[in-house]
Amino acid sequence: MTLPPLRRPRSADLTATFAGFPLPSGLELPPYRRRELFLLGYAGILATAALAALTLARDGTIGFQVFTYGLGFFSLWALAHLAVRRFAPAADPVLLPVVAALNGIGLVMIYRLDLAKADAARRAGGEVPTGAAQTQLVWTLLAVVVFILVLAVVRDHRSLARYGYTAGLVGLVFLVLPIAPGIGATINGARLWLKVGPFSFQPSEVSKIILMIFFAAYLVNKRDVLSVASRSFLGMKVPRARDLGPVLVAWAASLGVLVVQKDLGSSLLFFGMFLVILYVATQRASWVAIGLALFMLGAVVAHSLFGHVQIRVDGWLHAFDGDNPSSTSYQLVQGLYGFAAGGITGTGIGQGSPQRVPFANTDFIMASLGEELGLTGVMAILLLYALVAARGIRAALGAKDPFGKLLATGLSATLALQVFVQVGGVMRLIPLTGLTLPFVSYGGSSIVANAAIIALLLRISDAARRLEEPVPDAPLFDPSAVSESPTQVVKTT
């Protein structure tokens, strides 16, 4: 399956190659990539400035090494930029720079926490732990490689729809792999990891992408059936009882993740992303109402039967009860104290104490950022995430095929929902879930999977901008055609 013919950009002075890579036939270098390169340079300046502020706060001076790191960071994401120029030249110019900016902020904060842990180890006379920032930088490099591979391999996102049911099976296999004996590992109370030797990986991060491909392919074929209503209730068209199977299966699967793997975050994320894409496919608000009712029922049942759910909910509801917070809410309370200490403008990078919060570079990295960047910095980061979601929805609106619309909407909603659940837990809006903050938190599985999501969104955006060559308007009067046409005499009465 091939994309429609490409329309040439209006700029006639652009070359047809870049860095030795020939562009696809019929396409000149569009101005989108110049905008992307400019914004990517701004993201590099932002990360370099944050590192310079940290170095100045710690050492009182800024060395040349800071600018070397900044140049290396920019060069790393410039590789992704070159891949977009080569494989998706008409794609959205904002997504990649925003992701690079979020990644730069996360790397600087992880490095800042590494320095705090090293200082504490030296004061205690112990061994200095290995820095997490170096490992995260390696994962970032791997994420860029995966990003390039997805763009290079998936030349037409519509081809993924042919593997919809296969993707569903593979996604379920990845989801249950951590419970397999021998390779599954329990970390921090949740059985989410595959561990082979010194390496560990969270397969649920990959399964959310594969399952989203299945959801989109399935709903493209079944949305007409699922849109049929049997009766009206409170002004909503209620679906037929026999059509409730998909949402019941998704609900049961999410409860299975909660029971077997003890992971509240993944359970909520999987059910939420299915509910969003189901609503978009059918445009029936009744599906949202049914899904929310099932979610509340499952929450009540899970709280009554499972101890790990009770601990999360009790720590959320009674975080400040007693003179000293219990072990179930200690990290939550410390994170809230960090937000309070940051105030509006923050203490400044390198001048706070975010290392006091457990899991400060993973689950609670937003609390660390809130302490040193303040409410202003937190709102700026959330705006960056909102921009990612908005550009993804824009790609969905521009897609010419229903599968692309559903896939882009689902992937964008997945990122937005993950940010909401993660930040909401840290800010005590909802119970803690253990999800990571995309592109910011320490963790290789998350950044690699989310880089693949961005690559798919760019692929859909590129296809959406590839319009058919406009057909020129025919002239209202063509003298040559009139002169060559035979003359007919018509007799009227």
Side-chain angles (χ1 to χ4, degrees):
M1 189 178 296
T2 59
L3 291 172
L6 305 180
R7 183 180 65 183
R8 291 177 180 268
R10 296 180 180 177
S11 302
D13 56 343
L14 299 177
T15 60
T17 61
F18 180 82
F21 294 106
L23 291 174
S25 176
L27 185 72
E28 294 176 350
L29 186 62
Y32 311 122
R33 304 281 65 84
R34 291 186 297 178
R35 301 171 194 166
E36 181 181 78
L37 183 60
F38 174 77
L39 293 175
L40 198 61
Y42 182 77
I45 293 174
L46 179 64
T48 305
L51 181 60
L54 172 60
T55 305
L56 184 62
R58 177 179 171 84
D59 302 330
T61 183
I62 301 176
F64 182 76
Q65 192 175 15
V66 170
F67 301 99
T68 304
Y69 288 149
L71 181 60
F73 173 80
F74 173 78
S75 301
L76 178 61
W77 284 102
L79 294 176
H81 169 73
L82 292 177
V84 177
R85 280 188 180 270
R86 175 64 180 89
F87 300 114
D92 188 282
V94 178
L95 275 172
L96 185 64
V98 172
V99 168
L102 289 169
N103 177 245
I105 294 171
L107 283 171
V108 172
M109 180 51 65
I110 294 171
Y111 178 60
R112 183 260 178 275
L113 293 169
D114 287 344
L115 294 177
K117 292 178 181 178
D119 292 341
R122 293 190 188 96
R123 288 194 298 267
E127 184 179 357
V128 177
T130 303
Q134 297 177 358
T135 306
Q136 185 68 5
L137 191 59
V138 174
W139 281 114
T140 301
L141 175 60
L142 181 59
V144 171
V145 172
V146 170
F147 174 88
I148 296 173
L149 287 176
V150 171
L151 283 180
V153 173
V154 183
R155 295 300 185 94
D156 185 353
H157 66 274
R158 293 172 294 187
S159 63
L160 298 175
R162 295 181 299 194
Y163 309 100
Y165 289 96
T166 303
L169 178 60
V170 174
L172 290 177
V173 170
F174 269 88
L175 200 59
V176 301
L177 269 180
I179 66 176
I183 58 175
T186 301
I187 300 177
N188 298 327
R191 194 173 181 84
L192 294 173
W193 301 84
L194 295 181
K195 193 168 185 179
V196 180
F199 302 100
S200 59
F201 188 76
Q202 192 172 345
S204 61
E205 293 287 348
V206 178
S207 66
K208 71 181 181 184
I209 304 175
I210 302 176
L211 287 176
M212 184 55 67
I213 295 173
F214 163 68
F215 291 157
Y218 174 80
L219 291 174
V220 165
N221 296 325
K222 301 295 183 181
R223 60 179 178 176
D224 292 335
V225 176
L226 297 175
S227 300
V228 176
S230 60
R231 61 181 65 87
S232 296
F233 178 73
L234 297 178
M236 294 186 299
K237 299 292 185 180
V238 180
R240 298 174 299 183
R242 64 181 181 220
D243 296 330
L244 295 176
V247 71
L248 291 176
V249 170
W251 177 67
S254 63
L255 283 182
V257 172
L258 179 62
V259 173
V260 177
Q261 300 183 353
K262 299 182 179 180
D263 182 30
L264 180 61
S266 295
S267 174
L268 178 60
L269 182 62
F270 284 120
F271 186 65
M273 70 184 196
F274 175 75
L275 202 60
V276 168
I277 196 173
L278 179 61
Y279 169 72
V280 173
T282 62
Q283 299 182 6
R284 296 290 186 188
S286 55
W287 283 114
V288 179
I290 293 172
L292 292 177
L294 289 174
F295 171 76
M296 290 187 289
L297 176 62
V300 172
V301 172
H303 182 266
S304 303
L305 298 180
F306 308 119
H308 60 280
V309 178
Q310 294 176 4
I311 292 174
R312 291 288 180 93
V313 174
D314 292 344
W316 168 56
L317 294 176
H318 310 290
F320 291 95
D321 288 0
D323 296 333
N324 295 310
S326 64
S327 59
T328 59
S329 60
Y330 175 77
Q331 57 186 5
L332 175 60
V333 172
Q334 292 299 316
L336 294 175
Y337 284 154
F339 281 119
I344 300 297
T345 58
T347 61
I349 298 180
Q351 301 184 45
S353 301
Q355 69 276 8
R356 296 180 180 178
V357 184
F359 307 106
N361 61 0
T362 53
D363 297 2
F364 280 82
I365 195 167
M366 182 56 83
S368 303
L369 292 167
E371 180 175 350
E372 300 205 332
L373 300 182
L375 178 63
T376 304
V378 170
M379 293 304 298
I381 293 172
L382 293 180
L383 283 176
L384 290 178
Y385 282 116
L387 191 58
V388 171
R391 303 301 286 200
I393 296 297
R394 180 177 179 178
L397 292 174
K400 305 301 183 295
D401 61 295
F403 175 74
K405 288 182 180 292
L406 290 181
L407 182 59
T409 302
L411 294 175
S412 303
T414 298
L415 288 174
L417 183 60
Q418 184 170 345
V419 172
F420 169 77
V421 171
Q422 205 278 343
V423 177
V426 174
M427 293 184 173
R428 206 190 167 200
L429 182 62
I430 59 175
L432 287 172
T433 58
L435 291 177
T436 58
L437 196 61
F439 306 109
V440 176
S441 293
Y442 171 73
S445 308
S446 177
I447 191 172
V448 170
N450 290 323
I453 289 178
I454 298 299
L456 289 175
L457 289 176
L458 287 175
R459 170 57 63 210
I460 297 172
S461 173
D462 177 68
R465 294 169 185 261
R466 293 175 178 232
L467 305 176
E468 294 184 358
E469 190 75 28
V471 179
D473 295 333
L476 296 177
F477 177 74
D478 188 354
S480 61
V482 174
S483 62
E484 296 174 359
S485 62
T487 303
Q488 296 180 357
V489 178
V490 179
K491 182 179 181 181
T492 61
T493 58

